[in-house]
Amino acid sequence: MSRVALSRVRRVVVKVGSALITVPGQGPAGPVIARLAADMAALVKDRREMALVSSGAIATGMARLGLSTRPRSIPDKQAAAAVGQSTLMWHYEQGFGKHGIQVGQVLLTGQDISDRGRYLNARNTLLALLRFGVLPVVNENDTVAVDEIKVGDNDNLAAHVAHLIDADLLVLLTDVDGLYTGDPRRDPAARRLETVDAITDDILQLVFDDASRVSVGGMSTKLQAAQKATASGIPMVIARGSEPSVLQRIVSGENLGTYFEPRADPLTARKLWIAFAVPPQGRLRVDAGARKALTERGKSLLPSGLTDVEGEFRAGAVVSLAEGGQEFARGLVNYDAQEIRRIRGAKTREIEKALGYKGFDEVIHRDNLVVL
Ligand code: GLU
């Protein structure tokens, strides 16, 4: 796929950040929302299905409650989100209403992504909204989400929403016009990357913390979103939201922002879930030989390559795999942490003796393993 093929996309998820759509101390920026609504409405008229992931609830709530700094305590933040979210929705109702488009509010937490039943529920609701011709406006449910159950930032949330509705494109609109080879505010030689074919370590190094005060993410959460989207075959674009008709121009294939090429061999829904939907509950350390066997030869993880087990988890949990301190894969384990400690380093024929019963040969079967 290349940018040119973007003219064929039917279902698009757009994410807007707090810095783009709110004015500090004032709340939602009316003219910005009006332009965004007009741009999205033009694509709806062109028979595309659009969903919006919008930040800005906390920033808006702060303005309405007269708070000049971001609240520190969780209840205060959640109170600000409660006040801000309804104000934000009022602006979207007005903005999209002018174009005859109805909006529907969908508030999600990390649990709605990691729990299969809730995931399918959210998916069904979003798809029903699209069928009714309603434009879903999604945010994290900040009034109930605490760290343990949070997605945490709307870049990653937008990538999950793109998975939920099988989107054809994810666009993150922000206040910079893409990913740069250096910090454009300090380095005059820094240039915008037009296309990123694969999110390599070199690309991940290009994160300078540009997180402005009102936003949660920065370039790092945007690259995480790009990993999630492209792994499932969904292209992603990061672009400057203040660019006129930015969405229509991106969809027409114009060279705006940074385009992330989707993976040619997308992960299956099951592997996506293992890789991204569930926070890992433990960590297995392996030696270099095992890493090679898993990443280059597509093998299963056997006890013999294991050097250490961290955390407590049950069979069936998702764990992270690391070698030399670096995570390189995730997988579903066949054994509890306690059992893995007993068979760590053992040869296959020694498993039965170590456990006192015959279990699986593999600690993680290759079908349940995703190399990141
Ligand atoms: N959910 C937060 C809000 O609406 C923003 C999270 C983010 O910007 O990533 O205020």
Side-chain angles (χ1 to χ4, degrees):
M1 189 161 197
S2 73
R3 275 184 189 262
V4 184
L6 292 184
S7 60
R8 294 203 303 263
V9 302
R10 293 256 63 94
R11 197 173 275 172
V12 185
V13 174
V14 178
K15 182 258 172 178
V16 288
S18 306
L20 178 66
I21 57 137
T22 61
V23 180
Q26 287 176 36
V32 178
I33 289 184
R35 265 195 285 119
L36 174 71
D39 202 10
M40 290 183 78
L43 290 170
V44 169
K45 291 218 171 68
D46 201 18
R47 304 189 39 183
R48 301 183 206 260
E49 293 175 319
M50 309 292 292
L52 180 64
V53 176
S54 176
S55 303
I58 296 176
T60 299
M62 280 167 56
R64 302 216 78 185
L65 296 176
L67 307 172
S68 54
T69 52
R70 204 175 165 87
R72 277 178 196 279
S73 84
I74 293 172
D76 286 6
K77 229 185 271 182
Q78 296 184 319
V83 173
Q85 182 64 27
S86 54
T87 308
L88 204 55
M89 284 311 293
W90 183 86
H91 278 80
Y92 285 125
E93 291 218 347
Q94 302 290 312
F96 285 100
K98 289 208 172 72
H99 302 275
I101 295 173
Q102 295 206 53
V103 295
Q105 168 180 272
V106 178
L107 298 177
L108 301 172
T109 66
Q111 279 183 327
D112 302 316
I113 309 297
S114 59
D115 179 294
R116 193 79 196 137
R118 292 170 71 152
Y119 185 91
L120 293 174
N121 239 341
R123 172 181 161 86
N124 289 338
T125 306
L126 285 162
L127 294 178
L129 287 168
L130 293 176
R131 244 187 350 264
F132 280 122
V134 172
L135 190 139
V137 179
V138 185
N139 196 356
E140 181 128 36
N141 193 351
D142 293 314
T143 55
V144 297
V146 286
D147 280 346
E148 294 71 37
I149 61 161
K150 247 196 205 172
V151 174
D153 69 86
N154 277 2
D155 296 323
N156 279 290
L157 178 65
H160 287 301
V161 170
H163 288 166
L164 270 169
I165 64 168
D166 302 316
D168 304 311
L169 172 66
L170 170 62
V171 182
L172 305 184
L173 294 180
T174 180
D175 51 3
V176 287
D177 67 345
L179 180 64
Y180 273 76
T181 56
D183 184 345
R185 287 162 305 187
R186 285 182 204 109
D187 175 5
R191 58 179 184 81
R192 167 176 66 96
L193 288 170
E194 293 177 7
T195 302
V196 172
D197 294 322
I199 302 155
T200 57
D201 286 344
D202 288 347
I203 293 293
L204 293 172
Q205 303 282 311
L206 296 176
V207 174
F208 330 92
D209 223 338
D210 62 342
S212 46
R213 255 174 309 127
V214 289
S215 321
V216 174
M219 217 28 104
S220 71
T221 52
K222 292 190 173 50
L223 291 181
Q224 289 164 7
Q227 283 175 312
K228 289 188 174 66
T230 58
S232 63
I234 303 173
M236 190 186 102
V237 175
I238 299 176
R240 197 202 299 280
S242 57
E243 201 67 54
S245 307
V246 61
L247 296 171
Q248 293 169 76
R249 288 162 64 196
I250 288 169
V251 166
S252 73
E254 197 175 315
N255 178 3
L256 276 180
T258 299
Y259 171 75
F260 293 81
E261 180 80 28
R263 249 171 85 145
D265 56 335
L267 296 178
T268 58
R270 175 181 173 73
K271 290 209 168 181
L272 272 181
W273 187 81
I274 293 172
F276 302 121
V278 221
Q281 287 165 41
R283 176 176 283 239
L284 303 181
R285 295 190 185 278
V286 305
D287 58 30
R291 176 178 182 164
K292 222 169 158 178
L294 303 182
T295 56
E296 291 174 23
R297 288 184 277 130
K299 298 280 189 199
S300 296
L301 176 66
L302 302 178
S304 57
L306 270 170
T307 57
D308 202 8
V309 183
E310 288 169 20
E312 291 310 323
F313 48 82
R314 305 298 299 266
V318 171
V319 300
S320 150
L321 266 71
E323 190 249 326
Q326 201 196 8
E327 179 184 44
F328 67 91
R330 287 188 185 175
L332 275 183
V333 283
N334 283 335
Y335 289 106
D336 295 352
Q338 288 305 332
E339 293 170 315
I340 300 178
R341 288 194 177 97
R342 301 217 304 266
I343 58 176
R344 171 172 62 101
K347 300 262 185 305
T348 303
R349 62 186 142 73
E350 297 164 349
I351 296 176
E352 187 168 357
K353 190 158 164 259
L355 290 178
Y357 51 85
K358 175 91 182 95
F360 296 87
D361 286 353
E362 312 87 11
V363 173
I364 298 178
H365 191 273
R366 52 193 285 179
D367 292 345
N368 293 328
L369 186 111
V370 189
V371 175
L372 300 173

